[in-house]
Amino acid sequence: MKTFPWLLCVLALTACHGPAQPPAEPVAPSPPAPEATAPVPPATPAESSPATTPAAGDLSGVLARFHWRLAEATDGRGQKLAALFAGDPPLQLDFANGRVSVDHLCNRMSGSYTLAGDKLALGRMASTLMACTDAAKNAQEQAASELLAGEFALSLDAAAPSLLLTRRDGTTLRFAGEETAQSRYGAAETVFLEVAPQTKPCPHPLVKDKQCLQVREVRYDAQGLRQGTPGEWQPFYEDIEGYTHQDGVRNVLRVKRYTRPNPPADASAHVYVLDLVVETEQVR
């Protein structure tokens, strides 16, 4: 059994979407966490996107509006870079505040980026250090680490949306964009949810034999110390975008909770998006 305190995990970010809502919210609202407890900066606010590649001054804002998921990858001879495609969801880039993160690998990678005209330069990536037992995912991570560095020619169609990155050696990467929750819903509040190691059956009017996460809200002070005693475990009927639960693993998650305007009758009033894995523990 091993626990990693969240304040020691700033350099080890992990990456480890919602069905119908039951009559009551499973987790009571809480005030946003103080800025001092948020090592990862919030996403860049949404900006309007034109139908073609925007001017350089607008490019960062448009990049930040979307999750960019790898759709095609070929080398200079036009051969598919098969190692980059290992499982679902596909490799994903997210841009915010001069940083780019690479998700849906065994580990999460992140680094700086700069834009100059139609050129995108990716700085050296840092990575978390979780062991990966899947050979294909290991190969994917190695290929991504070697490929996502240096300078690329950038072509962006914000209307599609699609992003094309091309290296001097002819390697091309095409990404499809999916609008982020912040771009869709605006501001969010930050909450910390402890997720129990095992899911449990939970009644649902539309989903037979539904299994729900068991969660309880936890609070931290400005120094990152837990405050109070967590309440009872509650069934959590929502999905948490960016989080995949593994049975037998307890996690504390920092999540962004967005309010969905005018939700339909079969949808939750809230959307939850993973921001950071604060603690993780294998429970046997």
Side-chain angles (χ1 to χ4, degrees):
M1 178 183 300
K2 189 171 183 181
T3 302
F4 298 92
W6 76 282
L7 286 181
L8 299 181
C9 292
V10 174
L11 297 179
L13 305 183
T14 56
C16 309
H17 231 257
Q21 167 85 352
E25 285 290 335
V27 179
S30 68
E35 189 64 28
T37 68
V40 178
T44 303
E47 299 180 17
S48 58
S49 59
T52 58
T53 301
D58 299 326
L59 203 52
S60 290
V62 178
L63 286 173
R65 287 190 60 201
F66 301 95
H67 302 299
W68 298 102
R69 292 173 177 165
L70 186 64
E72 296 177 8
T74 58
D75 63 19
R77 297 171 297 174
Q79 299 298 307
K80 180 178 179 178
L81 297 171
L84 290 174
F85 298 89
D88 189 63
L91 181 153
Q92 175 177 300
L93 303 184
D94 286 283
F95 297 85
N97 302 315
R99 304 283 297 176
V100 57
S101 63
V102 187
D103 291 302
H104 303 156
L105 305 171
C106 276
N107 288 278
R108 190 186 199 205
M109 299 192 304
S110 65
S112 62
Y113 78 90
T114 56
L115 292 166
D118 64 349
K119 303 298 183 184
L120 170 71
L122 300 179
R124 183 174 179 177
M125 296 281 180
S127 175
T128 59
L129 300 175
M130 294 179 62
C132 184
T133 59
D134 187 315
K137 295 296 287 185
N138 264 325
Q140 179 192 38
E141 189 167 292
Q142 180 66 28
S145 178
E146 294 173 356
L147 183 62
L148 296 173
E151 187 176 89
F152 294 81
L154 178 151
S155 177
L156 174 63
D157 183 345
S162 65
L163 171 66
L164 181 66
L165 301 180
T166 307
R167 288 203 317 193
R168 290 181 179 178
D169 63 2
T171 298
T172 60
L173 306 173
R174 187 177 69 81
F175 298 83
E178 179 180 324
E179 201 168 17
T180 67
Q182 178 164 330
S183 182
R184 284 176 285 157
Y185 304 117
E189 65 174 328
T190 299
V191 295
F192 293 84
L193 301 179
E194 183 176 8
V195 181
Q198 302 295 339
T199 60
K200 290 186 177 180
C202 53
H204 195 287
L206 300 178
V207 182
K208 184 180 179 181
D209 300 326
K210 180 174 176 61
Q211 293 281 324
C212 285
L213 297 175
Q214 302 298 303
V215 308
R216 57 187 181 185
E217 190 169 337
V218 295
R219 291 179 172 83
Y220 296 88
D221 64 15
Q223 286 70 47
L225 301 176
R226 277 206 188 200
Q227 296 295 295
T229 302
E232 298 294 322
W233 294 106
Q234 304 256 352
F236 192 75
Y237 289 81
E238 314 308 319
D239 289 332
I240 301 174
E241 184 179 324
Y243 174 69
T244 301
H245 183 69
Q246 296 181 12
D247 284 345
V249 178
R250 180 192 68 85
N251 288 300
V252 176
L253 311 177
R254 190 177 77 197
V255 302
K256 298 294 187 181
R257 180 162 61 193
Y258 297 88
T259 299
R260 192 198 310 266
N262 304 314
D266 61 346
S268 169
H270 291 124
V271 175
Y272 295 83
V273 179
L274 177 66
D275 189 31
L276 179 70
V277 178
V278 178
E279 296 176 11
T280 186
E281 177 187 15
Q282 185 78 43
V283 178
R284 298 177 181 175

